[in-house]
């Protein structure tokens, strides 16, 4: 099988090892929540490494889906994994994100294309306005309806109503 890994760090953020454990945990939660929207994949799962038992972490290492360092769970870390195991993102390993693409055979070009596409999607998500990101978080991650999202944002000064929330959600 073929695998491509891309490492990336977030602009304006300290390296994971330089952050306090509480901030590392916040970063893991934030990134694991953002990756599904960026990837466009609903057929995936995310886990915080510390919540997995030793056997589960060892299985991920044996399947080469996570590094031994991340599986050791000595500091907050996470894994986002597509159900078909074609894409994975390790969070807070050595870098903020380590993107991985897997393909059968020797399809390195396919792996690279998939990894670059996910990387570009993460860039687009990071470039979204803060308000659009709040709409996506409420709709996609919290599972709120458009009306519930509108109500939760109504208290904000620069909020313009349900049609504004819908427009932001559709363009993000």
């Amino acid at each position: 099988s073929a695998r491509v890994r891309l490492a990336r760090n977030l602009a304006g953020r300290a390296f994971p090892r330089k952050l306090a454990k509480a901030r590392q945990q916040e970063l893991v939660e934030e990134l694991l929540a953002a990756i599904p929207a960026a990837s466009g994949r609903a057929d995936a799962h995310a886990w915080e490494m510390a919540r997995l038992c030793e056997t589960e972490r060892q299985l991920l290492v044996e399947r080469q889906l996570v590094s031994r360092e991340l599986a050791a769970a000595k500091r907050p870390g996470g894994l986002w994994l597509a159900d078909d195991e074609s894409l994975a993102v390790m969070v807070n390993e050595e870098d903020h994100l380590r993107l991985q693409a897997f393909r059968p055979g020797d399809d390195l070009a396919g792996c690279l294309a998939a990894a670059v596409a996910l990387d570009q999607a993460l860039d687009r998500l990071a470039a979204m306005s803060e308000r659009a990101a709040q709409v996506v978080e409420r709709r996609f991650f919290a599972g709120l309806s458009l009306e519930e999202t509108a109500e939760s944002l109504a208290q904000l000064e620069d909020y313009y109503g349900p049609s504004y929330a819908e427009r932001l959600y559709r363009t993000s």
Side-chain angles (χ1 to χ4, degrees):
S1 67
R3 173 176 57 186
V4 169
R5 279 187 176 175
L6 299 178
R8 72 181 333 231
N9 287 297
L10 306 175
R13 303 278 181 113
F15 287 106
R17 293 176 190 260
K18 301 277 185 184
L19 297 171
K21 285 219 185 226
R23 184 62 190 118
Q24 288 177 9
Q25 182 63 37
E26 289 171 11
L27 187 60
V28 168
E29 291 169 6
E30 178 185 331
L31 292 172
L32 287 178
I35 293 168
S39 72
R41 306 249 340 221
D43 62 332
H45 291 86
W47 299 276
E48 291 181 32
M49 298 309 291
R51 295 187 180 193
L52 298 176
C53 73
E54 180 64 31
T55 303
E56 291 168 321
R57 292 193 307 263
Q58 187 59 39
L59 178 65
L60 292 171
V61 169
E62 288 174 8
R63 295 187 55 76
Q64 298 183 357
L65 297 170
V66 300
S67 66
R68 292 186 186 284
E69 181 182 24
L70 187 67
K74 292 183 180 176
R75 64 175 190 266
L79 173 68
W80 175 88
L81 180 64
D83 288 346
D84 64 2
E85 296 184 2
S86 64
L87 284 172
V89 179
M90 291 185 280
V91 178
N92 264 10
E93 194 226 23
E94 268 183 49
D95 303 283
H96 292 121
L97 299 169
R98 181 141 321 163
L99 292 67
Q100 303 180 100
F102 307 92
R103 294 289 183 274
D106 60 354
D107 187 13
L108 284 175
C111 282
L112 182 59
V116 168
L118 180 57
D119 186 54
Q120 290 171 342
L122 289 168
D123 280 342
R124 285 191 301 274
L125 184 67
M128 276 191 328
S129 73
E130 182 180 335
R131 185 66 66 236
Q134 290 174 339
V135 170
V136 169
E137 287 170 357
R138 285 167 172 79
R139 294 276 292 142
F140 192 82
F141 307 118
L144 298 180
S145 69
L146 188 58
E147 293 76 24
E148 292 167 328
T149 300
E151 287 175 20
S152 73
L153 294 174
Q155 62 198 357
L156 302 174
E157 221 173 274
D158 61 343
Y159 179 67
Y160 303 106
S163 61
Y164 179 65
E166 183 174 11
R167 188 172 57 254
L168 286 174
Y169 182 67
R170 295 200 190 288
T171 60
S172 54

